[in-house]
Amino acid sequence: MSEAVETTTQRWKLTIEYHGEPFHGWQRQDHGPSVQAVVEDAMAQFLGNPPTVYCCGRTDAGVHALGQVAHVDLPTRYSAKDVRDATNFHMREWPVAVIDAEAVDDEFHARLSATGRAYRYRILNRRARPGVDIGRVWHVPVPLDVAAMQAAAKQLLGHHDFTSFRATHCQAKSPMKTLDKLTVSQQGDEIWIDVAARSFLHHQVRNMTGTLKDIGWGTTKPDAMTDILHAKDRSAAGQTAPSDGLYFMQAFYGGEDLATV
C-alpha cells in the first residue's frame, strides 16, 4: 500500500532578518539572487519542493531588514523549532536568518493583515568613512544640522499627497498616504531617521531622507519642506538616498499607535 500524502497544513508567521547587499531585493526574480528565493529554496531542501513565502513589505536591492514578517503554509508535521532551524541550516551561506516562527491561523496574511510598518534610515555623519558598517549606512562627511532636519520632518506628518517623494515607477494606485511618525535623532556619529505608517510609496522613505539631508546640509531651508510637499513634483525634492542605510524594522498587526512606536 502506498504511503498517504499529507494534505493538512499549518500557517507560520516568520520574522526574518537579512543584510540586503547581496540581493536584488526581496522578490524572487530571474536576473539575480533575492531574499524570497533564498528562503523558499532553503525550505525546498527539507520539503522536497519550494513553497511560496509571502512578505509584509518587499524591500529593494540593498535594503536590509531586522524584523521582516512573512508567512508560509507547511505540512503540519513540522514544529516551530523545525521551521526555524531547518530553514536557517539550508541558507547558512547567505546573510539571512529566520529569527522566529509562530503558528498562526489561516486568516493571517503577512501583507494584508498588517496595520503598520516601521523603517529606520542610518546616516553616518562624520569625516571618516565607515569601516565595519560599509554597506550598512549612508556616509555623509559634511556636518548636518539635526535641528533643521527635525523642524522639516514635522511638516511631513499626517495625511498628504506624497507625489514629490514617490518613485516615477511606483505602482501604487494613489499618492495619498498618512505618515504617522517621522523623527530625526542624533546617535553618536549617526543620525537616525525613524518612520512609521500603514504603508509607503515606492522609495518614499529614501526620497524623504535625501531631502532631509539637503536641509541638514543647508542647501535647502527647513521651511521649504512644505513647498516641496505641495509641489507634487518629484523633481522638487532631493535625491533618492542610497539603499545601504535603510532597514525594515518591524511590522504591526494589533492596531498599535504608530506615532509612538
Side-chain angles (χ1 to χ4, degrees):
M1 181 179 295
S2 61
E3 184 177 349
V5 177
E6 184 174 8
T7 58
T8 56
T9 61
Q10 169 65 57
R11 179 159 296 184
W12 294 95
K13 174 186 175 185
L14 309 175
T15 304
I16 304 171
E17 67 177 27
Y18 50 86
H19 189 296
E21 187 173 21
F23 301 109
H24 288 241
W26 165 271
Q27 188 172 16
R28 181 185 282 271
Q29 48 201 286
D30 296 331
H31 62 275
S34 69
V35 181
Q36 182 183 21
V38 166
V39 176
E40 291 177 348
D41 292 349
M43 289 182 169
Q45 295 299 308
F46 60 88
L47 290 173
N49 56 284
T52 300
V53 179
Y54 301 88
C55 79
C56 173
R58 293 180 296 184
T59 50
D60 290 331
V63 175
H64 318 293
L66 298 182
Q68 176 68 273
V69 175
H71 80 261
V72 64
D73 295 330
L74 300 178
T76 54
R77 64 180 178 272
Y78 297 107
S79 68
K81 183 178 183 298
D82 293 334
V83 174
R84 182 197 63 204
D85 293 352
T87 305
N88 287 338
F89 177 82
H90 289 292
M91 59 184 186
R92 60 194 182 279
E93 296 179 0
W94 294 95
V96 184
V98 175
I99 58 178
D100 186 58
E102 176 188 351
V104 291
D105 62 44
D106 290 346
E107 298 301 311
F108 176 84
H109 191 287
R111 181 175 64 85
L112 299 179
S113 300
T115 58
R117 296 156 176 83
Y119 290 84
R120 172 172 292 162
Y121 198 99
R122 295 172 58 197
I123 298 174
L124 179 64
N125 192 212
R126 69 183 189 196
R127 186 63 184 172
R129 64 179 178 81
V132 172
D133 280 332
I134 289 176
R136 300 177 182 178
V137 294
W138 183 15
H139 179 220
V140 179
V142 177
L144 299 178
D145 184 341
V146 175
M149 296 169 71
Q150 291 169 335
K154 292 178 181 179
Q155 299 168 47
L156 296 179
L157 291 170
H159 188 66
H160 304 288
D161 182 326
F162 281 96
T163 296
S164 294
F165 303 98
R166 179 185 192 180
T168 55
H169 54 280
C170 178
Q171 298 179 355
K173 294 180 179 179
S174 170
M176 303 299 297
K177 294 292 178 182
T178 301
L179 189 61
D180 296 281
K181 176 180 180 179
L182 175 54
T183 62
V184 182
S185 62
Q186 185 84 49
Q187 306 288 337
D189 288 335
E190 292 190 17
I191 296 171
W192 288 0
I193 298 172
D194 286 292
V195 300
R198 182 176 181 85
S199 61
F200 293 89
L201 299 169
H202 195 195
H203 285 177
Q204 182 180 344
V205 177
R206 290 166 62 186
N207 291 337
M208 293 189 302
T209 297
T211 307
L212 288 169
K213 185 270 293 180
D214 290 344
I215 289 168
W217 204 323
T219 56
T220 302
K221 299 298 183 183
D223 57 6
M225 186 63 93
T226 298
D227 294 334
I228 293 170
L229 180 66
H230 291 165
K232 301 177 185 178
D233 182 352
R234 177 67 190 92
S235 65
Q239 73 181 97
T240 302
S243 60
D244 300 25
L246 185 59
Y247 294 75
F248 186 105
M249 298 298 291
Q250 61 186 124
F252 302 96
Y253 295 91
E256 294 86 349
D257 181 358
L258 299 180
T260 61
V261 296

